[in-house]
Amino acid sequence: MLFRYSADAKGRPVKKAIIYTKDEHSISPQKIDPDALFIVKQLHSHGYDAYIVGGAVRDLLVQKEPKDFDIVTDATPSKIKKIFRNSRIIGRRFRLVHVFFGPKIFEVSTFRSISDGSVGNSFGTMDEDALRRDFTLNALYYDPLKEQVIDYVGGLKDIQKRIIRPVIPLDRIFEEDPVRMLRAVKYAATTGCTMPRSLKRKICKSAHLLSPVSPSRLTEELMKIINSGHAYDIIRAAMEVDLFMHLQPAATAMMYANSEFKSSYFKHLQELDAFHASNPTARLGLRLSYLIYDFTAGLTDWQAEVDQKSATAELYSRTWAQCRNFVLPMNPQRTELEFAIRTVLRQLGVSVHIPKRAFSSCKSNVAGENHEQGIVGAVKNAANHNKKSHDHTHEHHHNRDKLDAAVSRRRHSGRRRSKSGVSAAISTGN
């Protein structure tokens, strides 16, 4: 075991990090992507330090194959761009470089400073960069040339203990970037690590901070969940700490209002994960179909629509608008959502030979509706049109207005509320 030192204000050496040699960690050099290794070697040959960082190191330590190999260096984006012709600089505020090798994209970033907190954009040192990472299991650096793991925050031991521990103090970590709450839940569900009670409690109290996060960022996180192969575990964990209501408020409201809908929704999430295991490269539209199936199936009596030979184009147009509202604030590619709806309707026995002009009015219909109207409209529509069960329809319609109020209170409150609390709010109202 080695140590990394830095000088303090008086020039005295201060121990900063533990360096684990190749005999002290379980990372095999053969597991390193050859193109990632090439990038590190090229940066070194030009006089820069470079390391594999984050999730790739975490996965390698637990014998999992990393999905991505992110690299961090002391070279600035412009210097990186000069070294690699097959690259481009992305980002306006947080600039980094994408290096392309065929279909593979490697993200190469520059060490960041903590002078402006954990979300500033100033370049810094490796010592500072480690303290900007969200959780200790993601704050490990691997030098593939020396085969060493550099650990500033005790991340290797936390991985061995199977615990998720934040690097940034709890009083700042989620205020500075609320999306970190979703990452904590995702790591817990996918790595087998546990969150301490203090971290869970903080997430519950801070869940409301997700409300102002842009739809594009929430969509990005949802896409990661859908494509993870662990959607069931992640969403179940997100429900427990009140996060999912900010990702999919309409679905959450319907799950709180109807246990049958919740059971079926989670059943389809399990089917989605099984589908991912056998079809890891399947298009997004197929994956989205698992999320919208229960909602779409409850919009109307589809068999009656087929028997009555309802105007398919008009029916399809209305279904698209309702599903578009249902998945808000997620904003998937339009063609993929259309494909998902076609897939579900086909499963429900509805012909999907629909001309493209059927969508000519969809865009204008949806554009005028704000986020909250979409949520309430989706919930109300499902309550009004669900013909599968007379008892269910009657009960859902009866509680509709109270449910809207309960959902509104949950979405705008930072206080922790349990499922039983929400159920009580729905059943009693004001």
Side-chain angles (χ1 to χ4, degrees):
M1 185 181 294
L2 305 173
F3 298 97
R4 185 182 179 95
Y5 291 87
S6 295
D8 64 11
K10 296 182 178 180
R12 294 174 298 191
V14 177
K15 188 187 297 183
K16 289 287 186 176
I18 298 174
I19 300 175
Y20 295 95
T21 63
K22 62 181 180 181
D23 297 325
E24 297 170 319
H25 62 74
S26 57
I27 296 178
S28 170
Q30 285 71 40
K31 298 291 186 180
I32 306 301
D33 186 287
D35 293 324
L37 182 59
F38 174 78
I39 293 173
V40 171
K41 287 181 176 179
Q42 282 293 95
L43 288 166
H44 270 273
S45 69
H46 285 78
Y48 299 107
D49 292 331
Y51 304 89
I52 294 171
V53 69
V57 184
R58 177 196 68 222
D59 290 343
L60 289 166
L61 285 169
V62 296
Q63 309 304 312
K64 288 179 62 178
E65 182 178 351
K67 290 184 177 180
D68 304 294
F69 282 83
D70 294 337
I71 296 159
V72 66
T73 177
D74 55 348
T76 61
S78 59
K79 298 293 185 182
I80 300 168
K81 181 71 173 64
K82 289 181 180 179
I83 296 172
F84 302 100
R85 292 184 178 180
N86 54 328
S87 67
R88 66 184 178 96
I89 298 175
I90 66 166
R92 295 181 180 178
R93 295 179 57 197
F94 196 92
R95 302 180 75 206
L96 47 85
V97 179
H98 277 175
V99 181
F100 301 88
F101 286 87
K104 293 187 292 186
I105 302 175
F106 295 89
E107 186 175 288
V108 184
S109 60
T110 306
F111 292 134
R112 301 287 169 170
S113 170
I114 56 174
S115 59
D116 301 318
S118 66
V119 291
N121 298 302
S122 303
F123 299 140
T125 65
M126 185 178 181
D127 295 356
E128 292 179 295
D129 190 80
L131 300 179
R132 287 174 52 104
R133 303 283 164 176
D134 48 11
F135 303 97
T136 59
L137 78 175
N138 286 334
L140 297 169
Y141 301 78
Y142 179 66
D143 184 339
L145 304 183
K146 296 180 180 179
E147 297 182 41
Q148 296 176 340
V149 173
I150 298 92
D151 184 0
Y152 282 84
V153 294
L156 193 143
K157 288 187 177 180
D158 285 342
I159 289 175
Q160 292 172 341
K161 295 177 182 177
R162 300 281 179 175
I163 187 171
I164 296 176
R165 187 165 58 88
V167 174
I168 303 163
L170 277 178
D171 61 348
R172 292 194 293 114
I173 183 170
F174 302 134
E175 281 75 6
E176 292 179 346
D177 186 0
V179 171
R180 288 169 176 155
M181 292 184 285
L182 296 174
R183 294 175 187 155
V185 169
K186 182 175 68 175
Y187 299 148
T190 59
T191 65
C193 296
T194 59
M195 290 189 290
R197 288 184 180 180
S198 58
L199 180 57
K200 276 189 174 181
R201 188 161 52 245
K202 184 62 176 178
I203 290 175
C204 290
K205 291 181 178 179
S206 306
H208 66 284
L209 296 174
L210 281 175
S211 293
V213 173
S214 68
S216 61
R217 287 199 74 192
L218 294 179
T219 298
E220 181 182 356
E221 293 301 319
L222 269 167
M223 292 299 104
K224 291 178 181 178
I225 294 172
I226 292 170
N227 293 316
S228 68
H230 298 276
Y232 172 83
D233 294 325
I234 296 172
I235 292 176
R236 183 179 63 178
M239 288 279 291
E240 291 176 357
V241 290
D242 289 348
L243 292 182
F244 196 59
M245 69 173 67
H246 299 283
L247 291 176
Q248 290 288 266
T252 304
M254 294 179 72
M255 281 192 277
Y256 282 135
N258 188 312
S259 59
E260 289 183 8
F261 180 91
K262 179 179 179 180
S263 177
S264 184
Y265 189 86
F266 275 102
K267 175 177 172 289
H268 282 106
L269 290 177
Q270 289 177 311
E271 292 177 0
L272 168 61
D273 292 337
F275 175 76
H276 172 83
S278 57
N279 303 274
T281 59
R283 66 180 294 176
L284 176 62
L286 284 172
R287 300 172 190 272
L288 288 174
S289 67
Y290 289 91
L291 268 65
I292 67 170
Y293 181 87
D294 294 293
F295 173 76
T296 306
L299 286 175
T300 186
D301 185 335
W302 291 103
Q303 186 57 52
E305 298 286 358
V306 172
D307 294 341
Q308 295 169 12
K309 298 182 179 180
S310 301
T312 310
E314 181 183 352
L315 187 64
Y316 194 49
S317 178
R318 291 201 308 266
T319 302
W320 188 93
Q322 291 295 331
C323 286
R324 176 69 185 87
N325 285 332
F326 175 70
V327 300
L328 287 173
M330 181 171 62
N331 186 25
Q333 188 177 348
R334 181 188 179 96
T335 54
E336 295 302 319
L337 182 58
E338 290 175 358
F339 186 88
I341 295 170
R342 288 172 183 265
T343 300
V344 172
L345 292 183
R346 191 179 296 113
Q347 293 170 345
L348 294 170
V350 180
S351 170
V352 290
H353 248 344
I354 299 149
K356 290 185 178 180
R357 65 176 179 272
F359 293 99
S360 60
S361 61
C362 287
K363 196 169 185 178
S364 59
N365 288 342
V366 175
E369 300 178 14
N370 63 27
H371 185 187
E372 188 68 24
Q373 288 172 329
I375 295 167
V376 175
V379 175
K380 288 183 177 181
N381 190 77
N384 284 332
H385 294 286
N386 192 332
K387 305 297 184 180
K388 287 184 173 181
S389 166
H390 175 76
D391 293 337
H392 162 61
T393 303
H394 178 75
E395 179 183 357
H396 201 159
H397 183 78
H398 177 72
N399 288 325
R400 186 182 63 199
D401 295 333
K402 295 177 181 179
L403 171 60
D404 294 341
V407 172
S408 178
R409 287 196 297 273
R410 287 186 65 88
R411 294 184 60 222
H412 297 288
S413 171
R415 294 175 298 176
R416 172 76 171 99
R417 293 192 181 187
S418 65
K419 296 177 186 177
S420 60
V422 176
S423 299
I426 292 171
S427 62
T428 59
N430 283 327

